[in-house]
Amino acid sequence: MSRKFMWFYVGLALFFLYLPVLILVVLSFNASRLNVNWTGFTFSWYAELWRDRDIMLAARNSLLVAFVSTAISTVLGTTLALGLYYRRDILNRIVDGLIYVPLVVPETVMGISLLAFYTKMGLGLGLTSVILAHVVFCIPFVTLIVQARLAGLDYHILEAAMDLGATELRALLQVMLPLTVPGIVAGGLLAFTLSLDDFIVTFFTAGPGATTLPIYIYSMVKLGVSPKVNALSTIMLAITAITVITVVFLLRTGSNGRKAHEKAQSSSVTGLPFT
Amino acid sequence: MVRLEAVTKRFGETVAVDNVSLEVQKGEFLTLLGPSGCGKTTTLRMIAGFEKPTCGSIYINDRPVDNLPPYKREVNTVFQNYALFPHMKVKDNVAFGLRIAGLERSEIKRRVDWALDLVQLTSYGDRYPHQLSGGQQQRVALARAIVCRPRVLLLDEPLGALDLKLRKEMQLELKSLQRHLEMTFIHVTHDQEEALIISDRIAVMESGAVHQVASAAEVYEKPATLFVAQFIGDVNILKVTVADGDGDEAYVQGTESKIPIAVEEHRRYAPGQVLNLAVRPEHVRIGERGARDTGEPQAVLGGVVNNLLYLGSTLKVQVVLPGGDTVTAAFPNSSGRPEFRAGDQVCLSWPVSAGRLLGQ
């Protein structure tokens, strides 16, 4: 009885969560221009997307913003996490707390404050301002994930490297960094998805000519939901889903170093030559 | 080889190491022994360079190292949980220090092979640390540290994570390795038996202070403080007051009776002082007075058998004295079961020279 109820409950939850998405994906292949009846299967909306210059421009902007802000926030976020790991004093504890603030500040507030800040600083709105804004909210996520990875490492490993003659920098590059890579990559991928589908902060900080996909989709919907929007959303869904699945996979192997190294072992069957 | 001069380490309000002075000779196997939290690991970490002394100085090979980072000190460490690099093969772990030193490839290979051979892991070079057992990982950590040929090898409870049987094997191996390499070893442990087995000298620590630095036999037979006597091996402690001596014979006053002690022991203290008389259980005999008389004067007390303990290789008898103190006597099992039972009135004795007076 209780088991049956549990399955019913789980089914209901999944139904509510995923049905809208499923409908969207299905409708993106619908031949009908109206979003109601199924009249036949087609790829034509995807083809039309490809021909739409405005959409392609928005996609180009989105990808550019996502790549650049991911690169910057991954480097800065990782550096911050390593810095916090190396030295533990009062200042670091304060910084450790402060980096989480962007995670809890309402996005609208962050958008408005960034807009006010840019205006004050005389920075014109455009792709640069969007990229900077994305870097701001991506850094905490990268730091958080890299920190989690670092926390799983034995601190004595770092000491062992220095004991064997490695300077701090060398110990960092040859021991800590290779062991942190799964966390860094996962953090970067997460930053990429966050940047790719951010709407609110982008909305406040984007100027003319800096339209990203989420903003463009929003403006399209104002004129009614076309199947083209469904197709575009499906593509974004696919990109995000693939990235997030990769992140989860990386974090799982990352948190279990043993697994990661077993993989490393099996992938190099011949074994590296002794160097 | 290593000298600590009045080294103190504070963490905030806590004093981890309190004014420790210590000298370790070249080629010596010295053990820092003490309960957890006594400052032994902190002392080791200060020698390695992971902690800076709050005050005092450390010298390695007569050179002050207080301002040298760990990577400039001629010491290597075997860590408690091995701290192997999980992303490197065994041979790369061992070669790490040599590569940093910038040795030639052929030389690195020769020395890695030498070190792996020394710890009997020759065929394990291509494995990853997680593919090895705890004991094997421990050997890799050892090989990685000795391959650099440090002047001093520091070992931070290296056998702590191994099971009892393996630990006993490794104790003997460590000892013979140290003799073979003629290297100075400073070893940290809380296991008093391990310390007795492998050390040339033992430094017994408690609450950040060194109580005694001496050979295993001396630490056991002539403990400097009550803590040392109680921490290493079993011991009977009786509260006594120093009585007036009269030249040839010296006494202390127990709760019930006068107990004779060695004259030289007596001379260290003034009459009237309240002290502890320490006697090891294996020195205590039970039976008729003078039954095993070897000519040496004996301290003799009467008591009632309270309990008989069977421990396999030894038998222990607990005797309650009229004053309420309990004295334990230990016999090798081979001497046969003692012919008395709980409640029997017996006579206790020990050679006068076996009693030792200790302050608080």
Side-chain angles (χ1 to χ4, degrees):
Chain A
M1 172 58 204
S2 64
R3 205 177 171 77
K4 258 186 189 167
F5 179 75
M6 193 188 80
W7 282 114
F8 174 72
Y9 189 78
V10 168
L12 204 65
L14 289 177
F15 183 78
F16 273 113
L17 276 175
Y18 290 107
L19 192 68
V21 179
L22 192 67
I23 290 174
L24 177 105
V25 173
V26 170
L27 286 180
S28 74
F29 298 105
N30 190 357
S32 162
R33 183 162 281 281
L34 298 168
N35 258 327
V36 197
N37 296 321
W38 179 262
T39 54
F41 185 87
T42 178
F43 276 120
S44 65
W45 307 119
Y46 289 88
E48 228 174 277
L49 279 183
W50 189 253
R51 286 193 296 271
D52 188 322
R53 287 195 53 194
D54 286 345
I55 286 181
M56 290 318 285
L57 189 66
R60 196 199 63 128
N61 282 344
S62 264
L63 288 175
L64 183 72
V65 169
F67 274 116
V68 176
S69 61
T70 298
I72 298 173
S73 60
T74 304
V75 171
L76 292 180
T78 303
T79 318
L80 181 59
L82 284 170
L84 289 172
Y85 182 78
Y86 263 72
R87 288 197 49 203
R88 284 155 195 189
D89 50 24
I90 272 288
L91 184 72
N92 279 16
R93 243 175 259 168
I94 295 168
V95 175
D96 206 13
L98 282 179
I99 54 165
Y100 296 102
V101 173
L103 296 180
V104 292
V105 167
E107 271 205 79
T108 327
V109 175
M110 188 187 275
I112 293 171
S113 52
L114 281 169
L115 176 61
F117 179 70
Y118 291 156
T119 317
K120 196 91 185 156
M121 299 299 287
L123 183 73
L125 298 185
L127 279 180
T128 316
S129 61
V130 175
I131 289 170
L132 284 177
H134 284 203
V135 168
V136 169
F137 71 73
C138 283
I139 285 177
F141 285 96
V142 176
T143 304
L144 198 70
I145 290 180
V146 176
Q147 270 188 321
R149 173 69 184 158
L150 285 170
L153 296 180
D154 180 3
Y155 188 77
H156 290 121
I157 288 177
L158 180 65
E159 292 187 337
M162 284 170 55
D163 187 66
L164 292 164
T167 58
E168 278 101 339
L169 184 67
R170 194 147 185 185
L172 174 73
L173 294 178
Q174 293 193 355
V175 177
M176 296 314 277
L177 219 48
L179 290 170
T180 320
V181 159
I184 297 171
V185 175
L189 289 175
L190 194 67
F192 185 80
T193 64
L194 286 171
S195 167
L196 195 65
D197 57 30
D198 177 76
F199 177 78
I200 301 173
V201 172
T202 316
F203 185 74
F204 282 102
T205 53
T211 308
T212 60
L213 273 181
I215 306 266
Y216 191 80
I217 291 172
Y218 174 70
S219 63
M220 279 167 83
V221 171
K222 276 200 279 197
L223 307 168
V225 182
S226 82
K228 246 177 14 182
V229 174
N230 294 339
L232 191 52
S233 306
T234 305
I235 290 172
M236 288 190 67
L237 177 73
I239 294 174
T240 313
I242 289 166
T243 318
V244 170
I245 289 167
T246 316
V247 170
V248 169
F249 177 76
L250 276 172
L251 285 182
R252 187 174 298 164
T253 53
S255 66
N256 188 345
R258 207 186 151 90
K259 254 188 200 164
H261 301 305
E262 263 162 20
K263 290 178 75 65
Q265 168 73 356
S266 58
S267 63
S268 61
V269 183
T270 49
L272 293 166
F274 197 96
T275 48
Chain B
M1 180 53 70
V2 175
R3 199 163 79 245
L4 279 73
E5 282 181 3
V7 171
T8 296
K9 176 70 185 177
R10 288 192 203 93
F11 293 107
E13 291 292 298
T14 332
V15 182
V17 175
D18 189 7
N19 195 23
V20 165
S21 295
L22 195 65
E23 186 150 11
V24 187
Q25 306 300 326
K26 190 174 192 309
E28 185 178 32
F29 199 131
L30 182 106
T31 297
L32 300 173
L33 173 68
S36 59
C38 73
K40 54 192 192 303
T41 293
T42 307
T43 306
L44 197 77
R45 288 173 60 80
M46 285 193 287
I47 299 171
F50 301 129
E51 309 281 358
K52 261 188 187 283
T54 312
C55 50
S57 287
I58 297 174
Y59 297 82
I60 297 172
N61 207 25
D62 284 323
R63 216 158 59 107
V65 294
D66 299 309
N67 293 314
L68 290 186
Y71 49 84
K72 283 192 182 154
R73 298 192 183 194
E74 294 164 294
V75 299
N76 285 119
T77 309
V78 178
F79 290 85
Q80 188 167 8
N81 295 315
Y82 322 136
L84 298 177
F85 307 128
H87 60 305
M88 293 183 195
K89 288 179 183 176
V90 166
K91 63 185 181 190
D92 296 320
N93 263 282
V94 178
F96 188 85
L98 302 175
R99 283 185 193 147
I100 282 171
L103 268 62
E104 277 184 37
R105 267 185 199 204
S106 56
E107 175 68 6
I108 291 175
K109 180 163 167 42
R110 198 182 62 75
R111 292 210 7 207
V112 168
D113 289 347
W114 167 81
L116 286 179
D117 180 53
L118 208 58
V119 297
Q120 297 154 40
L121 284 176
T122 311
S123 57
Y124 290 82
D126 281 316
R127 301 215 187 170
Y128 280 87
H130 73 264
Q131 296 171 313
L132 305 179
S133 69
Q136 290 167 334
Q137 290 183 23
Q138 206 276 329
R139 287 157 191 268
V140 176
L142 198 59
R144 185 178 69 174
I146 57 175
V147 79
C148 303
R149 285 285 190 166
R151 286 182 185 277
V152 182
L153 188 73
L154 307 175
L155 303 107
D156 184 8
E157 306 221 18
L159 311 179
L162 305 180
D163 62 57
L164 187 67
K165 195 160 177 286
L166 197 55
R167 194 155 72 223
K168 300 225 166 196
E169 277 175 37
M170 282 304 294
Q171 286 167 1
L172 300 178
E173 275 187 44
L174 266 186
K175 181 75 193 155
S176 65
L177 190 70
Q178 186 258 346
R179 285 210 182 116
H180 172 71
L181 295 172
E182 294 170 348
M183 205 180 267
T184 309
F185 276 33
I186 304 180
H187 173 252
V188 159
T189 186
H190 61 265
D191 181 343
Q192 41 107 355
E193 196 182 304
E194 181 176 306
L196 293 176
I197 291 171
I198 61 180
S199 320
D200 292 325
R201 283 196 306 156
I202 301 171
V204 186
M205 292 184 75
E206 189 237 358
S207 305
V210 172
H211 280 241
Q212 187 174 11
V213 188
S215 69
E218 202 177 332
V219 163
Y220 184 77
E221 286 162 24
K222 291 183 176 150
T225 66
L226 182 63
F227 173 80
V228 175
Q230 287 180 316
F231 190 73
I232 297 169
D234 294 327
V235 71
N236 293 300
I237 301 292
L238 297 172
K239 277 261 177 288
V240 294
T241 311
V242 181
D244 281 324
D246 53 0
D248 291 346
E249 290 188 4
Y251 292 94
V252 289
Q253 181 65 47
T255 29
E256 280 294 311
S257 52
K258 277 189 166 184
I259 304 167
I261 56 159
V263 176
E264 64 270 23
E265 279 289 302
H266 187 273
R267 283 198 186 126
R268 290 160 57 207
Y269 299 95
Q273 251 185 299
V274 178
L275 295 168
N276 299 285
L277 177 63
V279 184
R280 297 285 181 195
E282 65 269 26
H283 289 132
V284 180
R285 307 254 180 252
I286 296 180
E288 291 302 303
R289 181 174 193 171
R292 290 168 225 262
D293 197 3
T294 52
E296 200 184 343
Q298 305 277 313
V300 184
L301 297 170
V304 177
V305 175
N306 182 40
N307 211 353
L308 288 141
L309 303 171
Y310 180 79
L311 283 92
S313 63
T314 50
L315 299 168
K316 286 188 176 177
V317 185
Q318 292 180 328
V319 178
V320 180
L321 302 183
D325 292 322
T326 302
V327 172
T328 304
F331 308 90
N333 199 2
S334 58
S335 64
R337 291 199 150 206
E339 311 88 44
F340 32 73
R341 285 173 301 183
D344 286 359
Q345 188 81 30
V346 290
C347 207
L348 288 174
S349 65
W350 61 80
V352 163
S353 61
R356 194 166 167 85
L357 285 177
L358 299 167
Q360 286 308 315

